[in-house]
Amino acid sequence: MTASDTQHPVVLRRIQLSTAAWQLLCEATSTILDLPATNSAGQAAAPGTEFLQLGSAQPAPLSGDAEAAAWSELKELGMSPAACEVALQWMGAVSILLTAPITVTARATYNGVSTTSVLGLRAGRGLAVHQRHISEVHGQDSVVVGSEDSMEVTLFDMDNVWGATARLLPPLDVVQAASLAAPLPAGAATSPGLSSYGPAEDANVALSVVTAAEGRPSRVWAGKWSVRGGQLYSVPTDGDASPAHVTPVPSGHIAHELVAAVVVAHAALPVAANTAGGPAREGGGK
């Protein structure tokens, strides 16, 4: 697995649907496949639904009319043959996210728009769900004040995890670069930081990778970056963004760190989880 482009398309399938339709699709798939309420890390077993309602771990139940409208939408999109049914290929695709042993979460802000993306990786395939939010700057922080009633869902090969992630991040070269523009400076991880931190922030990105193998404690990796005046900076994940703890890094650093974290996460899984087939592999939607 590398950060470089491949000859394969980054996105195998892409679809746009309402938040209600996505919520119903996740709930129906979970019920049909009799999935547990939580995964092996103790997290909600539907990682693509936890941000549908701000400040809520679980989205509110749909009303009768909203549920009927959502089933109608899913049928028009070819994702459901009839109410309370999910097309087999989409059941398999959604199950990738709902049962993913590796989950990547990406949060970013650019030009007053914040985004949340959750990517589940399982058995060589990945499913990403992406939502845009309206944000306001309060002091040094961006605060989400509303969300679009729309979700983008994409199916991709796990080898294209960076390409699938990058297209959901701010459209800046220093953010989306697939390879390092320059070697990392020696001792970058222990750099004393800067005497100054440049102009106001252009964009920010926060990534996390959670590995949840059954019977093992979950593993978490996290990274955070800021773009100021065209320069990419690595920011501590403990919230200390003072100049003394911020390090300038070359473009491509985000791809380098994420791909390395996913490789480590994959290697930490039991052999059975790495090679498992099941509905996740069947649900290519290709």
Side-chain angles (χ1 to χ4, degrees), residues 155-173:
L155 180 71
F156 59 94
D157 278 331
M158 189 170 168
D159 284 346
N160 273 329
V161 63
W162 171 247
T165 304
R167 61 180 295 276
L168 305 175
L169 299 179
L172 300 172
D173 289 343

Side-chain angles (χ1 to χ4, degrees), residues 14-23 48-49 51-54 73 77 79 113-118 128-134 146-154 168:
R14 174 184 176 276
I15 200 161
Q16 202 84 20
L17 69 166
S18 69
T19 55
W22 171 249
Q23 176 183 337
T49 63
F51 56 86
L52 290 174
Q53 287 203 337
L54 299 176
E73 179 184 351
L77 292 170
M79 304 174 85
V113 176
S114 294
T115 58
T116 304
S117 310
V118 180
V129 59
H130 175 76
Q131 186 177 34
R132 289 159 47 99
H133 316 288
I134 300 171
S147 301
E148 288 188 348
D149 182 22
S150 179
M151 315 291 292
E152 180 187 286
V153 179
T154 55
L168 305 175

Side-chain angles (χ1 to χ4, degrees), residues 179-217:
S179 58
L180 287 170
L184 288 174
T190 57
S191 168
L194 309 173
S195 57
S196 62
Y197 190 16
E201 188 173 61
D202 301 324
N204 62 63
V205 175
L207 299 176
S208 66
V209 177
V210 176
T211 314
E214 187 174 355
R216 300 188 182 188

Side-chain angles (χ1 to χ4, degrees), residues 33 35 88-89 91-93 95-96 99 122 277-284:
L33 297 180
L35 299 179
L88 182 61
Q89 67 269 31
M91 189 187 310
S95 73
I96 294 174
T99 63
R122 184 181 181 88
R281 192 59 185 176
E282 294 169 4

Side-chain angles (χ1 to χ4, degrees), residues 95-108:
S95 73
I96 294 174
L97 185 64
L98 301 188
T99 63
I102 301 173
T103 302
V104 178
T105 301
R107 300 182 187 276

Side-chain angles (χ1 to χ4, degrees), residues 184-271:
L184 288 174
T190 57
S191 168
L194 309 173
S195 57
S196 62
Y197 190 16
E201 188 173 61
D202 301 324
N204 62 63
V205 175
L207 299 176
S208 66
V209 177
V210 176
T211 314
E214 187 174 355
R216 300 188 182 188
S218 60
R219 298 164 54 97
V220 181
W221 168 89
K224 188 175 182 181
W225 295 266
S226 175
V227 180
R228 295 171 183 254
Q231 172 64 54
L232 183 66
Y233 296 90
S234 177
V235 181
T237 56
D238 60 7
D240 186 354
S242 64
H245 296 87
V246 173
T247 305
V249 291
S251 62
H253 187 257
I254 301 177
H256 177 271
E257 295 295 293
L258 176 64
V259 171
V262 171
V263 168
V264 171
H266 192 262
L269 296 177
V271 174

